[in-house]
Amino acid sequence: MSIPSDESMSLEATVLDQEFAEVTHSLFEDADSLLVVNPASDVFRTVILTATEFDNELPDIKVLATPDLLKAAVEDFILASQIADLIDQGTLSLRTTTDIARSSLLISDNRVVSIVISGDELTGLHSTDDSFVENVRTTFMDEWETGDEFTVRTPPLSRIQETLSDEFGNDVRDDFMMMLESVETVPGDDDDLDAVTITLLVAANNNELLYDIGKWGEDTGVASKATFSRTKTRLEDRGLIDTEKVPIDVGRPRLRLVLMADDLEDVDSLADQVTA
């Protein structure tokens, strides 16, 4: 599908002399609703990060994208948990389609922005012509209505923080957020510094029990207890954590996690050891 043609588009289109994040921020401020159509990966990430950091009330954000783009986006735990937060707040909705425009479009109540990607920079062309905006918006809202709903299985970041604090205290929550904020992405591959690995390193730094952190992870939807157990074994094999047996009244002893490094501050060094 292509953008609906209109002579007013060529007459009113101008290059946006702003950073793309600023363009997105201004759309959030001025619009009651925003439709994002066929975003490129950088466009989608910028929209989500800008929405996450936005201080005022957000518009209703609808995203119509290819399935492959959204699947790739939620492989990053940080981005996926921020997406889940926006969905949980009732601000963001995701749908997919394979019949989609070639350009990335942002369509607000009174403006259409066509995104242009040049090297590492994002800029765009825009039109505020009422008839053109209405034509484009109507066309792609029809496409939105027939799109397939996309489900994000990663739990919201705010829920992760809240439950970590409730279950283990503020130190564990703060360590977890410190590690997340120290890396750009948290992929889901077993050989990377993924969310389970980060959680186990944080738990070991605070001498938590493997059973407790694994149960928390399964209850919140981060990963299964079996995944936590397998990752614990991998981290033990690489000398990053150790375990101590803790007797209980009934049943097998529980395992207390112990961090072998001095602290969690050197995230780059820990990442190198995790992936070694």
Side-chain angles (χ1 to χ4, degrees):
M1 174 171 290
S2 60
I3 302 173
S5 61
D6 193 306
E7 290 183 0
S8 61
M9 179 63 173
S10 60
L11 291 173
E12 296 204 6
T14 56
V15 176
L16 298 169
D17 187 21
Q18 292 173 286
E19 293 288 337
F20 180 64
E22 295 176 3
V23 174
T24 307
H25 192 278
S26 69
L27 286 169
F28 288 164
E29 288 183 325
D30 298 338
D32 293 325
S33 62
L34 181 66
L35 179 59
V36 183
V37 178
N38 194 28
S41 177
D42 288 346
V43 171
F44 181 68
R45 178 177 289 274
T46 300
V47 168
I48 297 302
L49 295 183
T50 305
T52 299
E53 297 168 359
F54 193 70
D55 293 330
N56 300 320
E57 184 177 351
L58 284 164
D60 176 33
I61 305 170
K62 292 179 170 64
V63 177
L64 183 64
T66 63
D68 288 346
L69 180 129
L70 294 182
K71 288 175 184 177
V74 298
E75 287 179 359
D76 173 10
F77 175 82
I78 297 176
L79 189 62
S81 63
Q82 292 170 329
I83 292 169
D85 252 332
L86 295 170
I87 292 173
D88 196 51
Q89 294 164 14
T91 299
L92 176 68
S93 304
L94 305 178
R95 291 191 181 182
T96 63
T97 181
T98 55
D99 179 19
I100 203 162
R102 293 182 181 180
S103 300
S104 295
L105 300 175
L106 302 183
I107 309 167
S108 72
D109 311 296
N110 52 24
R111 181 157 47 140
V112 172
V113 179
S114 179
I115 308 303
V116 178
I117 301 175
S118 177
D120 295 331
E121 296 183 353
L122 296 173
T123 185
L125 306 175
H126 78 147
S127 175
T128 55
D129 179 82
D130 290 343
S131 61
F132 179 78
V133 172
E134 180 62 26
N135 188 15
V136 174
R137 187 170 184 82
T138 299
T139 297
F140 287 107
M141 278 305 301
D142 289 344
E143 290 300 302
W144 162 265
E145 294 296 339
T146 60
D148 297 321
E149 186 175 351
F150 184 85
T151 301
V152 178
R153 302 189 184 281
T154 304
L157 185 56
S158 59
R159 187 185 306 163
I160 291 171
Q161 294 183 73
E162 181 181 356
T163 54
L164 280 175
S165 182
D166 290 345
E167 294 288 334
F168 305 107
N170 292 342
D171 287 346
V172 171
R173 178 202 62 197
D174 292 346
D175 282 352
F176 183 86
M177 291 307 299
M178 180 272 292
M179 290 199 71
L180 279 194
E181 291 165 1
S182 298
V183 295
E184 291 185 1
T185 62
V186 178
D189 298 329
D190 290 340
D191 291 334
D192 288 306
L193 195 65
D194 60 15
V196 175
T197 299
I198 287 175
T199 305
L200 285 170
L201 291 171
V202 167
N205 190 51
N206 291 274
N207 300 127
E208 300 293 344
L209 298 179
L210 173 64
Y211 176 86
D212 292 342
I213 201 70
K215 184 176 185 303
W216 167 85
E218 190 161 81
D219 289 346
T220 56
V222 171
S224 67
K225 286 189 286 188
T227 299
F228 272 86
S229 182
R230 287 196 302 271
T231 305
K232 182 272 298 182
T233 300
R234 178 165 58 86
L235 295 176
E236 273 188 307
D237 292 343
R238 296 182 182 182
L240 286 169
I241 65 173
D242 200 357
T243 55
E244 298 173 349
K245 290 183 179 180
V246 179
I248 57 176
D249 292 338
V250 179
R252 297 171 58 186
R254 299 279 164 83
L255 297 176
R256 187 178 304 283
L257 300 167
V258 180
L259 186 70
M260 300 305 291
D262 292 335
D263 55 48
L264 295 173
E265 293 295 334
D266 191 355
V267 175
D268 290 338
S269 176
L270 284 173
D272 289 341
Q273 295 178 66
V274 167
T275 58

mmCIF file of all heavy atoms in Angstrom, residues 97-144:
data_model
loop_
_atom_site.group_PDB
_atom_site.id
_atom_site.type_symbol
_atom_site.label_atom_id
_atom_site.label_comp_id
_atom_site.label_asym_id
_atom_site.label_seq_id
_atom_site.Cartn_x
_atom_site.Cartn_y
_atom_site.Cartn_z
ATOM 1 N N THR A 97 0.640 -6.165 10.106
ATOM 2 C CA THR A 97 0.121 -6.432 8.765
ATOM 3 C C THR A 97 1.320 -6.634 7.843
ATOM 4 O O THR A 97 2.403 -6.124 8.113
ATOM 5 C CB THR A 97 -0.758 -5.288 8.242
ATOM 6 O OG1 THR A 97 -1.256 -5.631 6.945
ATOM 7 C CG2 THR A 97 0.033 -3.994 8.143
ATOM 8 N N THR A 98 1.117 -7.398 6.800
ATOM 9 C CA THR A 98 2.183 -7.584 5.808
ATOM 10 C C THR A 98 1.957 -6.726 4.574
ATOM 11 O O THR A 98 2.825 -6.602 3.723
ATOM 12 C CB THR A 98 2.270 -9.068 5.380
ATOM 13 O OG1 THR A 98 0.977 -9.498 4.923
ATOM 14 C CG2 THR A 98 2.707 -9.932 6.562
ATOM 15 N N ASP A 99 0.757 -6.106 4.482
ATOM 16 C CA ASP A 99 0.425 -5.218 3.364
ATOM 17 C C ASP A 99 0.517 -3.792 3.878
ATOM 18 O O ASP A 99 -0.430 -3.264 4.462
ATOM 19 C CB ASP A 99 -0.991 -5.518 2.870
ATOM 20 C CG ASP A 99 -1.384 -4.607 1.715
ATOM 21 O OD1 ASP A 99 -0.471 -4.025 1.083
ATOM 22 O OD2 ASP A 99 -2.597 -4.471 1.469
ATOM 23 N N ILE A 100 1.671 -3.170 3.671
ATOM 24 C CA ILE A 100 1.933 -1.927 4.389
ATOM 25 C C ILE A 100 2.690 -0.943 3.503
ATOM 26 O O ILE A 100 3.361 -1.344 2.538
ATOM 27 C CB ILE A 100 2.742 -2.247 5.678
ATOM 28 C CG1 ILE A 100 2.579 -1.140 6.728
ATOM 29 C CG2 ILE A 100 4.204 -2.488 5.374
ATOM 30 C CD1 ILE A 100 2.982 -1.608 8.110
ATOM 31 N N ALA A 101 2.593 0.341 3.826
ATOM 32 C CA ALA A 101 3.275 1.375 3.050
ATOM 33 C C ALA A 101 4.779 1.219 3.141
ATOM 34 O O ALA A 101 5.312 0.680 4.108
ATOM 35 C CB ALA A 101 2.870 2.760 3.570
ATOM 36 N N ARG A 102 5.483 1.707 2.134
ATOM 37 C CA ARG A 102 6.938 1.621 2.143
ATOM 38 C C ARG A 102 7.562 2.605 3.131
ATOM 39 O O ARG A 102 8.600 2.344 3.697
ATOM 40 C CB ARG A 102 7.485 1.873 0.747
ATOM 41 C CG ARG A 102 7.123 0.776 -0.257
ATOM 42 C CD ARG A 102 7.743 1.051 -1.614
ATOM 43 N NE ARG A 102 7.382 0.013 -2.580
ATOM 44 C CZ ARG A 102 7.788 0.019 -3.837
ATOM 45 N NH1 ARG A 102 8.537 1.008 -4.293
ATOM 46 N NH2 ARG A 102 7.436 -0.951 -4.657
ATOM 47 N N SER A 103 6.940 3.750 3.312
ATOM 48 C CA SER A 103 7.499 4.779 4.191
ATOM 49 C C SER A 103 7.057 4.540 5.627
ATOM 50 O O SER A 103 6.016 3.938 5.895
ATOM 51 C CB SER A 103 7.029 6.172 3.752
ATOM 52 O OG SER A 103 7.432 6.441 2.444
ATOM 53 N N SER A 104 7.892 5.051 6.573
ATOM 54 C CA SER A 104 7.476 5.120 7.972
ATOM 55 C C SER A 104 6.693 6.413 8.142
ATOM 56 O O SER A 104 7.171 7.491 7.781
ATOM 57 C CB SER A 104 8.692 5.130 8.900
ATOM 58 O OG SER A 104 9.403 3.914 8.820
ATOM 59 N N LEU A 105 5.491 6.305 8.692
ATOM 60 C CA LEU A 105 4.627 7.472 8.852
ATOM 61 C C LEU A 105 4.228 7.657 10.309
ATOM 62 O O LEU A 105 3.962 6.680 11.020
ATOM 63 C CB LEU A 105 3.348 7.308 8.030
ATOM 64 C CG LEU A 105 3.464 7.145 6.521
ATOM 65 C CD1 LEU A 105 2.080 6.885 5.925
ATOM 66 C CD2 LEU A 105 4.080 8.386 5.902
ATOM 67 N N LEU A 106 4.180 8.918 10.731
ATOM 68 C CA LEU A 106 3.564 9.288 11.999
ATOM 69 C C LEU A 106 2.362 10.161 11.643
ATOM 70 O O LEU A 106 2.511 11.202 10.996
ATOM 71 C CB LEU A 106 4.530 10.072 12.883
ATOM 72 C CG LEU A 106 5.861 9.402 13.252
ATOM 73 C CD1 LEU A 106 6.660 10.295 14.192
ATOM 74 C CD2 LEU A 106 5.638 8.043 13.880
ATOM 75 N N ILE A 107 1.186 9.743 12.072
ATOM 76 C CA ILE A 107 -0.045 10.440 11.697
ATOM 77 C C ILE A 107 -0.756 10.869 12.976
ATOM 78 O O ILE A 107 -1.270 10.026 13.725
ATOM 79 C CB ILE A 107 -0.965 9.536 10.865
ATOM 80 C CG1 ILE A 107 -0.197 8.904 9.693
ATOM 81 C CG2 ILE A 107 -2.160 10.319 10.353
ATOM 82 C CD1 ILE A 107 -0.941 7.760 9.022
ATOM 83 N N SER A 108 -0.764 12.169 13.228
ATOM 84 C CA SER A 108 -1.470 12.700 14.393
ATOM 85 C C SER A 108 -2.809 13.273 13.956
ATOM 86 O O SER A 108 -3.250 13.073 12.818
ATOM 87 C CB SER A 108 -0.625 13.772 15.080
ATOM 88 O OG SER A 108 -0.583 14.962 14.304
ATOM 89 N N ASP A 109 -3.478 13.981 14.854
ATOM 90 C CA ASP A 109 -4.770 14.568 14.528
ATOM 91 C C ASP A 109 -4.658 15.640 13.449
ATOM 92 O O ASP A 109 -5.608 15.868 12.697
ATOM 93 C CB ASP A 109 -5.395 15.206 15.784
ATOM 94 C CG ASP A 109 -5.357 14.262 16.964
ATOM 95 O OD1 ASP A 109 -6.008 13.220 16.880
ATOM 96 O OD2 ASP A 109 -4.665 14.566 17.949
ATOM 97 N N ASN A 110 -3.503 16.308 13.382
ATOM 98 C CA ASN A 110 -3.399 17.447 12.457
ATOM 99 C C ASN A 110 -2.104 17.485 11.652
ATOM 100 O O ASN A 110 -1.780 18.484 11.034
ATOM 101 C CB ASN A 110 -3.526 18.765 13.241
ATOM 102 C CG ASN A 110 -2.562 18.826 14.410
ATOM 103 O OD1 ASN A 110 -1.540 18.148 14.408
ATOM 104 N ND2 ASN A 110 -2.897 19.621 15.410
ATOM 105 N N ARG A 111 -1.369 16.367 11.654
ATOM 106 C CA ARG A 111 -0.096 16.377 10.924
ATOM 107 C C ARG A 111 0.260 14.968 10.458
ATOM 108 O O ARG A 111 0.015 13.991 11.161
ATOM 109 C CB ARG A 111 1.011 16.928 11.822
ATOM 110 C CG ARG A 111 2.365 17.004 11.138
ATOM 111 C CD ARG A 111 3.313 18.019 11.777
ATOM 112 N NE ARG A 111 3.423 17.981 13.209
ATOM 113 C CZ ARG A 111 4.580 18.139 13.874
ATOM 114 N NH1 ARG A 111 5.702 18.348 13.201
ATOM 115 N NH2 ARG A 111 4.613 18.132 15.171
ATOM 116 N N VAL A 112 0.854 14.890 9.272
ATOM 117 C CA VAL A 112 1.436 13.647 8.769
ATOM 118 C C VAL A 112 2.937 13.875 8.617
ATOM 119 O O VAL A 112 3.360 14.859 7.998
ATOM 120 C CB VAL A 112 0.844 13.238 7.401
ATOM 121 C CG1 VAL A 112 1.608 12.041 6.823
ATOM 122 C CG2 VAL A 112 -0.628 12.896 7.538
ATOM 123 N N VAL A 113 3.727 12.984 9.188
ATOM 124 C CA VAL A 113 5.177 13.057 9.070
ATOM 125 C C VAL A 113 5.646 11.789 8.373
ATOM 126 O O VAL A 113 5.383 10.678 8.843
ATOM 127 C CB VAL A 113 5.871 13.187 10.438
ATOM 128 C CG1 VAL A 113 7.393 13.241 10.261
ATOM 129 C CG2 VAL A 113 5.376 14.422 11.177
ATOM 130 N N SER A 114 6.317 11.945 7.242
ATOM 131 C CA SER A 114 6.922 10.825 6.530
ATOM 132 C C SER A 114 8.406 10.797 6.866
ATOM 133 O O SER A 114 9.128 11.762 6.618
ATOM 134 C CB SER A 114 6.723 10.984 5.019
ATOM 135 O OG SER A 114 7.333 9.917 4.319
ATOM 136 N N ILE A 115 8.864 9.702 7.465
ATOM 137 C CA ILE A 115 10.225 9.626 7.990
ATOM 138 C C ILE A 115 11.211 9.289 6.878
ATOM 139 O O ILE A 115 10.986 8.390 6.067
ATOM 140 C CB ILE A 115 10.337 8.571 9.099
ATOM 141 C CG1 ILE A 115 9.266 8.824 10.158
ATOM 142 C CG2 ILE A 115 11.724 8.577 9.720
ATOM 143 C CD1 ILE A 115 9.324 10.201 10.771
ATOM 144 N N VAL A 116 12.305 10.025 6.873
ATOM 145 C CA VAL A 116 13.402 9.788 5.940
ATOM 146 C C VAL A 116 14.620 9.357 6.747
ATOM 147 O O VAL A 116 15.024 10.039 7.687
ATOM 148 C CB VAL A 116 13.739 11.061 5.129
ATOM 149 C CG1 VAL A 116 14.919 10.805 4.205
ATOM 150 C CG2 VAL A 116 12.527 11.526 4.336
ATOM 151 N N ILE A 117 15.187 8.199 6.394
ATOM 152 C CA ILE A 117 16.375 7.698 7.078
ATOM 153 C C ILE A 117 17.588 7.961 6.201
ATOM 154 O O ILE A 117 17.676 7.472 5.077
ATOM 155 C CB ILE A 117 16.250 6.192 7.372
ATOM 156 C CG1 ILE A 117 15.010 5.918 8.238
ATOM 157 C CG2 ILE A 117 17.502 5.662 8.072
ATOM 158 C CD1 ILE A 117 14.737 4.454 8.468
ATOM 159 N N SER A 118 18.509 8.756 6.712
ATOM 160 C CA SER A 118 19.728 9.108 5.979
ATOM 161 C C SER A 118 20.933 8.759 6.832
ATOM 162 O O SER A 118 21.248 9.453 7.799
ATOM 163 C CB SER A 118 19.734 10.599 5.633
ATOM 164 O OG SER A 118 20.931 10.953 4.984
ATOM 165 N N GLY A 119 21.614 7.646 6.481
ATOM 166 C CA GLY A 119 22.729 7.192 7.297
ATOM 167 C C GLY A 119 22.231 6.809 8.671
ATOM 168 O O GLY A 119 21.338 5.971 8.814
ATOM 169 N N ASP A 120 22.806 7.437 9.710
ATOM 170 C CA ASP A 120 22.394 7.171 11.084
ATOM 171 C C ASP A 120 21.378 8.187 11.585
ATOM 172 O O ASP A 120 21.021 8.185 12.767
ATOM 173 C CB ASP A 120 23.619 7.184 12.017
ATOM 174 C CG ASP A 120 24.589 6.053 11.705
ATOM 175 O OD1 ASP A 120 24.110 5.004 11.227
ATOM 176 O OD2 ASP A 120 25.803 6.225 11.929
ATOM 177 N N GLU A 121 20.922 9.088 10.700
ATOM 178 C CA GLU A 121 20.031 10.156 11.124
ATOM 179 C C GLU A 121 18.606 9.928 10.621
ATOM 180 O O GLU A 121 18.382 9.368 9.557
ATOM 181 C CB GLU A 121 20.546 11.508 10.618
ATOM 182 C CG GLU A 121 21.900 11.913 11.210
ATOM 183 C CD GLU A 121 22.326 13.289 10.729
ATOM 184 O OE1 GLU A 121 21.633 13.846 9.854
ATOM 185 O OE2 GLU A 121 23.345 13.801 11.235
ATOM 186 N N LEU A 122 17.662 10.383 11.448
ATOM 187 C CA LEU A 122 16.261 10.344 11.074
ATOM 188 C C LEU A 122 15.762 11.773 10.905
ATOM 189 O O LEU A 122 15.978 12.627 11.766
ATOM 190 C CB LEU A 122 15.434 9.666 12.178
ATOM 191 C CG LEU A 122 15.719 8.192 12.468
ATOM 192 C CD1 LEU A 122 14.934 7.753 13.685
ATOM 193 C CD2 LEU A 122 15.369 7.328 11.277
ATOM 194 N N THR A 123 15.126 12.039 9.791
ATOM 195 C CA THR A 123 14.461 13.321 9.600
ATOM 196 C C THR A 123 13.154 13.022 8.877
ATOM 197 O O THR A 123 12.709 11.890 8.867
ATOM 198 C CB THR A 123 15.352 14.325 8.822
ATOM 199 O OG1 THR A 123 14.699 15.587 8.755
ATOM 200 C CG2 THR A 123 15.643 13.820 7.424
ATOM 201 N N GLY A 124 12.526 14.036 8.303
ATOM 202 C CA GLY A 124 11.272 13.714 7.656
ATOM 203 C C GLY A 124 10.648 14.874 6.925
ATOM 204 O O GLY A 124 11.119 16.010 6.974
ATOM 205 N N LEU A 125 9.566 14.554 6.222
ATOM 206 C CA LEU A 125 8.747 15.538 5.531
ATOM 207 C C LEU A 125 7.388 15.566 6.215
ATOM 208 O O LEU A 125 6.897 14.528 6.668
ATOM 209 C CB LEU A 125 8.581 15.148 4.059
ATOM 210 C CG LEU A 125 9.867 14.902 3.260
ATOM 211 C CD1 LEU A 125 9.521 14.399 1.872
ATOM 212 C CD2 LEU A 125 10.704 16.181 3.179
ATOM 213 N N HIS A 126 6.785 16.751 6.305
ATOM 214 C CA HIS A 126 5.493 16.792 6.968
ATOM 215 C C HIS A 126 4.503 17.661 6.220
ATOM 216 O O HIS A 126 4.865 18.528 5.433
ATOM 217 C CB HIS A 126 5.649 17.262 8.417
ATOM 218 C CG HIS A 126 5.841 18.737 8.579
ATOM 219 N ND1 HIS A 126 5.354 19.417 9.658
ATOM 220 C CD2 HIS A 126 6.466 19.664 7.810
ATOM 221 C CE1 HIS A 126 5.666 20.702 9.544
ATOM 222 N NE2 HIS A 126 6.345 20.867 8.442
ATOM 223 N N SER A 127 3.234 17.367 6.493
ATOM 224 C CA SER A 127 2.153 18.165 5.934
ATOM 225 C C SER A 127 1.115 18.387 7.015
ATOM 226 O O SER A 127 0.810 17.485 7.806
ATOM 227 C CB SER A 127 1.514 17.450 4.749
ATOM 228 O OG SER A 127 0.391 18.185 4.294
ATOM 229 N N THR A 128 0.577 19.598 7.045
ATOM 230 C CA THR A 128 -0.493 19.920 7.988
ATOM 231 C C THR A 128 -1.793 20.261 7.252
ATOM 232 O O THR A 128 -2.724 20.767 7.862
ATOM 233 C CB THR A 128 -0.090 21.111 8.881
ATOM 234 O OG1 THR A 128 0.268 22.227 8.053
ATOM 235 C CG2 THR A 128 1.089 20.740 9.775
ATOM 236 N N ASP A 129 -1.811 19.992 5.953
ATOM 237 C CA ASP A 129 -3.024 20.254 5.181
ATOM 238 C C ASP A 129 -4.164 19.369 5.699
ATOM 239 O O ASP A 129 -4.055 18.145 5.746
ATOM 240 C CB ASP A 129 -2.767 19.956 3.700
ATOM 241 C CG ASP A 129 -4.009 20.193 2.866
ATOM 242 O OD1 ASP A 129 -4.271 21.341 2.522
ATOM 243 O OD2 ASP A 129 -4.709 19.188 2.585
ATOM 244 N N ASP A 130 -5.268 19.987 6.097
ATOM 245 C CA ASP A 130 -6.349 19.261 6.762
ATOM 246 C C ASP A 130 -6.895 18.105 5.937
ATOM 247 O O ASP A 130 -7.089 16.996 6.442
ATOM 248 C CB ASP A 130 -7.494 20.230 7.099
ATOM 249 C CG ASP A 130 -7.124 21.208 8.202
ATOM 250 O OD1 ASP A 130 -6.140 20.935 8.920
ATOM 251 O OD2 ASP A 130 -7.811 22.239 8.343
ATOM 252 N N SER A 131 -7.149 18.359 4.657
ATOM 253 C CA SER A 131 -7.757 17.315 3.826
ATOM 254 C C SER A 131 -6.795 16.157 3.598
ATOM 255 O O SER A 131 -7.192 14.985 3.587
ATOM 256 C CB SER A 131 -8.227 17.894 2.490
ATOM 257 O OG SER A 131 -7.126 18.425 1.756
ATOM 258 N N PHE A 132 -5.505 16.496 3.416
ATOM 259 C CA PHE A 132 -4.525 15.440 3.207
ATOM 260 C C PHE A 132 -4.368 14.601 4.470
ATOM 261 O O PHE A 132 -4.341 13.369 4.421
ATOM 262 C CB PHE A 132 -3.180 16.038 2.806
ATOM 263 C CG PHE A 132 -2.105 14.999 2.603
ATOM 264 C CD1 PHE A 132 -2.063 14.247 1.450
ATOM 265 C CD2 PHE A 132 -1.163 14.762 3.595
ATOM 266 C CE1 PHE A 132 -1.091 13.266 1.269
ATOM 267 C CE2 PHE A 132 -0.197 13.789 3.423
ATOM 268 C CZ PHE A 132 -0.158 13.043 2.258
ATOM 269 N N VAL A 133 -4.254 15.275 5.615
ATOM 270 C CA VAL A 133 -4.103 14.554 6.887
ATOM 271 C C VAL A 133 -5.294 13.637 7.121
ATOM 272 O O VAL A 133 -5.134 12.468 7.495
ATOM 273 C CB VAL A 133 -3.938 15.544 8.059
ATOM 274 C CG1 VAL A 133 -3.980 14.803 9.403
ATOM 275 C CG2 VAL A 133 -2.634 16.315 7.934
ATOM 276 N N GLU A 134 -6.486 14.141 6.886
ATOM 277 C CA GLU A 134 -7.686 13.335 7.090
ATOM 278 C C GLU A 134 -7.720 12.138 6.145
ATOM 279 O O GLU A 134 -8.088 11.017 6.544
ATOM 280 C CB GLU A 134 -8.923 14.203 6.888
ATOM 281 C CG GLU A 134 -10.250 13.460 7.074
ATOM 282 C CD GLU A 134 -10.418 12.906 8.468
ATOM 283 O OE1 GLU A 134 -9.811 13.461 9.418
ATOM 284 O OE2 GLU A 134 -11.147 11.894 8.617
ATOM 285 N N ASN A 135 -7.298 12.347 4.898
ATOM 286 C CA ASN A 135 -7.275 11.270 3.906
ATOM 287 C C ASN A 135 -6.313 10.161 4.325
ATOM 288 O O ASN A 135 -6.645 8.970 4.305
ATOM 289 C CB ASN A 135 -6.870 11.845 2.543
ATOM 290 C CG ASN A 135 -7.015 10.838 1.421
ATOM 291 O OD1 ASN A 135 -7.661 9.807 1.577
ATOM 292 N ND2 ASN A 135 -6.398 11.137 0.285
ATOM 293 N N VAL A 136 -5.104 10.564 4.711
ATOM 294 C CA VAL A 136 -4.094 9.579 5.131
ATOM 295 C C VAL A 136 -4.548 8.857 6.396
ATOM 296 O O VAL A 136 -4.437 7.627 6.516
ATOM 297 C CB VAL A 136 -2.736 10.274 5.357
ATOM 298 C CG1 VAL A 136 -1.718 9.285 5.935
ATOM 299 C CG2 VAL A 136 -2.206 10.853 4.049
ATOM 300 N N ARG A 137 -5.054 9.617 7.361
ATOM 301 C CA ARG A 137 -5.465 9.017 8.633
ATOM 302 C C ARG A 137 -6.589 8.007 8.429
ATOM 303 O O ARG A 137 -6.567 6.907 8.989
ATOM 304 C CB ARG A 137 -5.895 10.108 9.602
ATOM 305 C CG ARG A 137 -6.178 9.586 11.005
ATOM 306 C CD ARG A 137 -6.360 10.700 12.012
ATOM 307 N NE ARG A 137 -6.523 10.152 13.343
ATOM 308 C CZ ARG A 137 -5.531 9.772 14.121
ATOM 309 N NH1 ARG A 137 -4.279 9.891 13.704
ATOM 310 N NH2 ARG A 137 -5.755 9.267 15.298
ATOM 311 N N THR A 138 -7.572 8.377 7.624
ATOM 312 C CA THR A 138 -8.688 7.463 7.366
ATOM 313 C C THR A 138 -8.208 6.181 6.695
ATOM 314 O O THR A 138 -8.626 5.072 7.054
ATOM 315 C CB THR A 138 -9.747 8.149 6.477
ATOM 316 O OG1 THR A 138 -10.254 9.301 7.153
ATOM 317 C CG2 THR A 138 -10.890 7.201 6.156
ATOM 318 N N THR A 139 -7.322 6.333 5.704
ATOM 319 C CA THR A 139 -6.797 5.170 4.984
ATOM 320 C C THR A 139 -6.101 4.189 5.925
ATOM 321 O O THR A 139 -6.369 2.979 5.903
ATOM 322 C CB THR A 139 -5.806 5.619 3.888
ATOM 323 O OG1 THR A 139 -6.495 6.409 2.932
ATOM 324 C CG2 THR A 139 -5.177 4.418 3.198
ATOM 325 N N PHE A 140 -5.230 4.702 6.770
ATOM 326 C CA PHE A 140 -4.450 3.803 7.609
ATOM 327 C C PHE A 140 -5.181 3.359 8.873
ATOM 328 O O PHE A 140 -4.848 2.319 9.439
ATOM 329 C CB PHE A 140 -3.096 4.431 7.931
ATOM 330 C CG PHE A 140 -2.172 4.426 6.736
ATOM 331 C CD1 PHE A 140 -1.883 5.587 6.062
ATOM 332 C CD2 PHE A 140 -1.637 3.233 6.261
ATOM 333 C CE1 PHE A 140 -1.057 5.581 4.948
ATOM 334 C CE2 PHE A 140 -0.822 3.211 5.150
ATOM 335 C CZ PHE A 140 -0.527 4.388 4.486
ATOM 336 N N MET A 141 -6.195 4.107 9.295
ATOM 337 C CA MET A 141 -7.035 3.599 10.374
ATOM 338 C C MET A 141 -7.839 2.398 9.894
ATOM 339 O O MET A 141 -8.075 1.451 10.656
ATOM 340 C CB MET A 141 -7.966 4.697 10.896
ATOM 341 C CG MET A 141 -7.311 5.642 11.897
ATOM 342 S SD MET A 141 -6.570 4.789 13.336
ATOM 343 C CE MET A 141 -8.003 3.942 14.020
ATOM 344 N N ASP A 142 -8.240 2.415 8.624
ATOM 345 C CA ASP A 142 -8.905 1.240 8.061
ATOM 346 C C ASP A 142 -7.962 0.034 8.072
ATOM 347 O O ASP A 142 -8.374 -1.094 8.374
ATOM 348 C CB ASP A 142 -9.360 1.528 6.622
ATOM 349 C CG ASP A 142 -10.539 2.503 6.564
ATOM 350 O OD1 ASP A 142 -11.179 2.709 7.614
ATOM 351 O OD2 ASP A 142 -10.794 3.058 5.474
ATOM 352 N N GLU A 143 -6.698 0.288 7.733
ATOM 353 C CA GLU A 143 -5.703 -0.790 7.775
ATOM 354 C C GLU A 143 -5.489 -1.274 9.210
ATOM 355 O O GLU A 143 -5.317 -2.463 9.469
ATOM 356 C CB GLU A 143 -4.376 -0.301 7.192
ATOM 357 C CG GLU A 143 -4.406 -0.073 5.694
ATOM 358 C CD GLU A 143 -4.737 -1.353 4.944
ATOM 359 O OE1 GLU A 143 -4.008 -2.347 5.097
ATOM 360 O OE2 GLU A 143 -5.754 -1.358 4.219
ATOM 361 N N TRP A 144 -5.467 -0.335 10.142
ATOM 362 C CA TRP A 144 -5.297 -0.689 11.559
ATOM 363 C C TRP A 144 -6.425 -1.618 12.024
ATOM 364 O O TRP A 144 -6.185 -2.609 12.715
ATOM 365 C CB TRP A 144 -5.277 0.586 12.408
ATOM 366 C CG TRP A 144 -5.537 0.354 13.868
ATOM 367 C CD1 TRP A 144 -6.726 0.453 14.526
ATOM 368 C CD2 TRP A 144 -4.575 -0.044 14.856
ATOM 369 N NE1 TRP A 144 -6.579 0.148 15.846
ATOM 370 C CE2 TRP A 144 -5.272 -0.157 16.083
ATOM 371 C CE3 TRP A 144 -3.211 -0.299 14.818
ATOM 372 C CZ2 TRP A 144 -4.637 -0.526 17.259
ATOM 373 C CZ3 TRP A 144 -2.580 -0.660 15.992
ATOM 374 C CH2 TRP A 144 -3.273 -0.778 17.196
#
